[in-house]
Amino acid sequence: MKTLKKNIFQLCCVVLFFCCNAIQNQSANKTKRPPNIIFIFADDLGYGDLGCFGARDIKTPNIDRMAKEGITFTSFYSASSVSSPSRAGFLTGRLPQRMGVNGVFFPQSFTGMPSEEVTIAELLKSKGYKTGIIGKWHLGHRPQFLPLQQGFDEYYGIPYSNDMHNVVYMDGNDIVEHHIDQAEMTKRFHEKSLSFVTRHRDDPFFLFLSHAMPHVPLYVSEQFKGSSKRGLYGDVIQEMDWGVGAIIDTLDKLNLLENTLIIFTSDNGPWSVMEDHGGSSGGLRQGKFYTFEGGMRVPTVALWKGTIPEGLVNNDLASQMDWFPTFAALADIALPKDRAIDGVDISKVLFGKGKRAKDSYLFFSGEQLMGYRKGQWKVKMPFAGFERQRWKQGEPAHDTLLFDLEKDPGEKNNLYSTNKKLARTLIEEMNKEYAAMGELPPSLIVRNPADEGHYEYLKNKHKK
Ligand code: MG
């Protein structure tokens, strides 16, 4: 009897030991597991197009909820005022000029973001993340440049902008649909995103939801037609907002909301020459294609329930390139040492525990350095002017400009003539930062003019 009791006691001890161990391992795993990251990119969304950024004729309750329960960045810059370089900057943490991505790729482009670049998807994958991009890629559509060759496990979406010839759906490296119905696109990207999140709930994951909208041409599903007070443009944003809500609800149901950092932002400012089919810059000067605030300052919010303090507002400058070192820090991954990274780890800013380590920013348009921001001051280099064309707003020629962005975010009051000394100091600092970049590679966006000698031949022949 005694032996039996002893055996039962020993058995209980062993069971208890294993239970304790299992619980310990489980909590260790829980603390060890890095956060999931969902990065939602709108395309050509203006600074004034979200409820939490002042829009009254577009309702965005879900994105507003992200702002209310998370952090709002009021001075957040895209890496470029156009699509491809903006994406390259986000994915690599580097100014796109460092890799020659100075403009947008076209369906006839034979180039893409160089494979030697290290993307955030590659870094996160090295730490066991499942990585996916759903939506627009726009960093080269030749096989060697596609997302699966740049660190993504999964890709579903369109290879370039939705206004370009031969826009198709791709799944991985294959074209799966030649004739696409753009009215269903936003919904489809959301469905694919929900599937990605659900399938990978047991692993850390990185999802880059890269919307094709509200880039023109605008399309919306039947369900959202006429839903806003801002016409088709507003309807499109409201459908995107609905999708953000669906993602948050899904994370909540899967019990992942407290372990997921969600970011909503835009690749560049609004395409204002498209009038009511372009967005609103919310009072900022100019839009897409320009390095005035309207082209570069993008509405940005981030939610990480229980980790980012609720209702935080950050007015200091930050940039899309900051996500690269920030995600790396959150996942405890060392940054590549063999290249310059322009972004700065802003995890302290996210947690409300500190400021961004750098308060300056270089503004490029293509390969041209256009201006510089340091703290509240922004200096802009002389500009030859541009006459409005069907694709780009006009802007009169100007000499050097100096703005106090704290008092004048709309860049209306040029303070150069009364603050020349300050402007000179800023230009010196700008040039120092620019020189430190070293020699930059030639542009990868090559559009050689076609040889049209045959037309010339006919023209001359008929002249005779
Ligand atoms: Mg864009």
Side-chain angles (χ1 to χ4, degrees), residues 82 84 100 102-112 138 141 160 163-165 271 289 367 389-391 442-452:
V82 292
S84 302
N102 297 333
V104 298
F105 294 104
F106 286 87
Q108 64 270 40
S109 296
F110 44 83
T111 50
H138 213 185
H141 56 278
Y160 29 71
D163 63 337
M164 292 180 174
H165 291 294
W271 203 345
F289 299 114
E367 48 210 67
Q389 291 188 12
R390 77 187 177 113
W391 59 281
S443 181
L444 286 170
I445 318 294
V446 183
R447 297 186 86 192
N448 295 331
D451 182 348
E452 295 189 335

Side-chain angles (χ1 to χ4, degrees), residues 26-264:
Q26 220 176 27
S27 65
N29 280 342
K30 215 177 163 190
T31 46
K32 254 194 207 163
R33 179 176 163 164
N36 308 309
I37 298 165
I38 301 181
F39 185 82
I40 310 172
F41 227 17
D43 195 337
D44 294 2
L45 177 78
Y47 191 76
D49 291 331
L50 300 176
C52 48
F53 278 79
R56 292 291 161 261
D57 46 4
I58 303 177
K59 298 242 174 297
T60 54
N62 296 297
I63 300 166
D64 299 352
R65 176 187 165 187
M66 288 178 66
K68 204 169 149 222
E69 298 178 11
I71 183 168
T72 303
F73 289 91
T74 63
S75 201
F76 202 89
Y77 291 112
S78 61
S80 166
S81 68
V82 292
S83 177
S84 302
S86 171
R87 277 146 227 275
F90 157 62
L91 284 171
T92 64
R94 285 153 54 80
L95 279 163
Q97 285 71 22
R98 289 193 190 272
M99 61 198 93
V101 182
N102 297 333
V104 298
F105 294 104
F106 286 87
Q108 64 270 40
S109 296
F110 44 83
T111 50
M113 182 170 72
S115 318
E116 297 76 33
E117 290 299 324
V118 176
T119 69
I120 190 61
E122 282 168 320
L123 275 198
L124 293 170
K125 197 177 154 92
S126 74
K127 191 79 178 190
Y129 273 72
K130 299 293 178 205
T131 56
I133 167 169
I134 291 159
K136 169 173 162 177
W137 173 239
H138 213 185
L139 285 169
H141 56 278
R142 297 281 175 133
Q144 68 269 36
F145 302 119
L146 286 170
L148 298 199
Q149 285 68 255
Q150 293 281 22
F152 288 96
D153 297 317
E154 298 180 28
Y155 168 45
Y156 184 92
I158 62 173
Y160 29 71
S161 295
N162 65 327
D163 63 337
M164 292 180 174
H165 291 294
N166 301 322
V167 63
V168 291
Y169 279 136
M170 302 198 72
D171 191 344
N173 288 325
D174 303 314
I175 294 172
V176 288
E177 254 182 84
H178 285 88
H179 300 286
I180 71 173
D181 176 6
Q182 291 211 32
E184 293 298 317
M185 190 152 60
T186 300
K187 193 181 276 177
R188 185 175 298 194
F189 290 165
H190 278 130
E191 284 165 0
K192 294 277 180 191
S193 298
L194 298 182
S195 155
F196 180 89
V197 167
T198 309
R199 279 186 288 116
H200 297 302
R201 66 184 136 186
D202 295 329
D203 297 296
F205 59 78
F206 167 53
L207 170 64
F208 178 16
L209 169 54
S210 177
H211 278 295
M213 298 282 157
H215 190 294
V216 288
L218 300 176
Y219 287 96
V220 75
S221 71
E222 223 26 72
Q223 195 190 335
F224 288 89
K225 250 181 209 164
S227 63
S228 81
K229 289 181 182 155
R230 177 103 71 86
L232 181 55
Y233 185 90
D235 299 349
V236 165
I237 307 304
Q238 294 197 176
E239 181 162 32
M240 287 171 59
D241 178 76
W242 169 83
V244 170
I247 288 171
I248 294 175
D249 287 348
T250 302
L251 289 169
D252 207 5
K253 274 185 205 132
L254 296 173
N255 215 13
L256 292 175
L257 198 53
E258 293 194 359
N259 195 31
T260 306
L261 167 63
I262 317 167
I263 294 149
F264 185 93

